[in-house]
Amino acid sequence: MTIRSVVLGCGSYLPQRVVTNAELASRIETSDDWIVQRTGIRERHVAADGEFTSHLAINAARAALAAADVDPQSIDLIVLGTSTPDNTFPATAVAVQNGLGIHHGAAFDLQAVCSGFVFALATADNFLRSRSFKRALVIGAETFSRILDWNDRTTCVLFGDGAGALILDAQEQGGTSSDRGVLTTHLRSDGRHKSKLYVDGGPSSTQTVGHLRMEGREVFKHAVGMITDVIVDAFDATGMSAETIDWFVPHQANKRIIDASAHKLHIAPEKVVLTVDRHGNTSAASIPLALDVAVKDGRIKKGDVVLLEAMGGGFTWGSALVRW
């Protein structure tokens, strides 16, 4: 027997305001055709004035708790993946914990940019499997609209705001790949690539928040290889393959990267969950947002094998295989 982190439920939240490509084209030199052709993005959600990352995260957490039908007081661990915290400190996870009325256990943020949710999931999984905690709330939440240069058409068209969450429960399982829950996770980082995707500010360096800067072609060039690397590791660790998984839920950065990765791995297009057209790149929030869409529309069902992957600034990248 072994302990597995079993998914009890998921939830998500998107700000009300929708910004279409047409609206962006009215403000900067771009067009709907240009954006769709290069990214697959048609619209994105943007947080309202006074709406913070913690507000998005709390709403997503409440939706996940309702879907799982569990008492918030049963949560003893909160791990929040975000690159856009409410404050430099304390951790936004602590604001979420307090907002949910939880005053026990541990809550902390995890910063791995667009890989943040996969890193947070792996971290919570390891805590649960070590029996340090019993039930975890794992969240990806971002307000990337706050760190964009809205005059830079190469970056401002790509990103959106949102939050998604999962409830994980430590349960005894048989110790095979037929178990429910998180089956394997694989995380990587390589700081040599910082200049290709970063924010040009921070408390220690500039005492400002800064703006997102990206070398798009360079990111694309590295993305497919890095993504496939950690997915092959996941398949090797579990004996699974592109044929045996039910769903592929990638980080929703760019449709061309997603399509190229699925093609290289021989994952059938009908297994790929795509939300980038509606959400844009919501960084750490993109995978749980996509998961919630596919659960709600009936695609992802109990017992399905779901492959998750992401790559983000740093570079960071990672994968997770989960039996729902």
Side-chain angles (χ1 to χ4, degrees):
M1 301 293 284
T2 189
I3 295 290
R4 295 284 193 193
S5 304
V6 175
V7 178
L8 298 184
C10 63
S12 64
Y13 175 79
L14 290 162
Q16 287 190 336
R17 186 183 169 205
V18 175
V19 176
T20 63
N21 291 346
E23 181 179 337
L24 289 176
S26 70
R27 289 192 265 146
I28 57 172
E29 188 183 337
T30 190
S31 68
D32 178 66
D33 285 347
W34 189 90
I35 298 168
V36 172
Q37 182 183 354
R38 285 162 178 77
T39 69
I41 299 168
R42 297 182 182 277
E43 61 185 34
R44 70 286 293 148
H45 293 251
V46 173
D49 290 344
E51 188 174 38
F52 304 156
T53 296
S54 62
H55 300 141
L56 276 56
I58 288 167
N59 282 316
R62 285 178 176 150
L65 288 162
D69 193 24
V70 299
D71 184 344
Q73 298 308 317
S74 69
I75 302 293
D76 57 359
L77 175 66
I78 301 174
V79 186
L80 170 59
T82 189
S83 299
T84 49
D86 291 6
N87 302 99
T88 300
F89 72 82
T92 300
V94 176
V96 174
Q97 182 191 39
N98 188 52
L100 296 173
I102 302 170
H103 305 296
H104 59 269
F108 59 89
D109 290 357
L110 190 152
Q111 219 283 46
V113 201
C114 297
S115 306
F117 184 78
V118 173
F119 274 60
L121 181 70
T123 301
D125 174 51
N126 278 286
F127 273 121
L128 293 186
R129 288 194 296 109
S130 71
R131 302 177 189 265
S132 301
F133 298 93
K134 294 179 180 177
R135 185 169 286 170
L137 169 60
V138 182
I139 309 169
E142 302 282 14
T143 47
F144 255 54
S145 61
R146 307 275 157 79
I147 58 170
L148 297 178
D149 176 352
W150 288 96
N151 295 311
D152 178 3
R153 72 170 188 159
T154 64
T155 57
C156 75
V157 302
L158 302 176
F159 296 90
D161 301 338
L166 287 184
I167 309 294
L168 294 179
D169 191 52
Q171 296 183 10
E172 284 202 345
Q173 301 277 312
T176 71
S177 59
S178 63
D179 291 350
R180 280 189 67 209
V182 179
L183 301 176
T184 190
T185 59
H186 299 269
L187 307 179
R188 302 280 187 277
S189 304
D190 188 344
R192 290 175 295 179
H193 303 288
K194 175 192 170 182
S195 64
K196 298 176 178 69
L197 179 54
Y198 71 105
V199 168
D200 62 3
S204 177
S205 57
T206 64
Q207 298 81 59
T208 64
V209 173
H211 292 112
L212 184 148
R213 305 299 180 195
M214 182 173 73
E215 298 175 19
R217 286 191 182 89
E218 285 295 308
V219 173
F220 188 98
K221 189 169 75 176
H222 285 84
V224 176
M226 289 176 168
I227 288 165
T228 53
D229 168 44
V230 286
I231 290 174
V232 169
D233 286 348
F235 288 159
D236 288 345
T238 58
M240 293 191 184
S241 66
E243 290 74 34
T244 58
I245 64 164
D246 296 295
W247 300 105
F248 178 40
V249 185
H251 167 50
Q252 307 288 315
N254 181 310
K255 188 175 184 297
R256 290 165 66 196
I257 292 174
I258 294 168
D259 289 347
S261 302
H263 178 75
K264 186 174 181 180
L265 289 156
H266 306 294
I267 297 173
E270 59 269 20
K271 292 183 177 182
V272 182
V273 175
L274 275 173
T275 57
V276 69
D277 56 329
R278 289 166 278 168
H279 299 163
N281 181 345
T282 55
S283 189
S286 83
I287 288 175
L289 278 166
L291 279 171
D292 198 42
V293 167
V295 169
K296 281 180 175 167
D297 68 22
R299 276 179 288 176
I300 295 178
K301 304 177 186 68
K302 184 176 177 179
D304 284 356
V305 176
V306 183
L307 172 63
L308 314 176
E309 64 77 12
M311 174 192 164
F315 287 145
T316 62
W317 64 105
S319 68
L321 257 178
V322 183
R323 188 179 296 279
W324 209 253

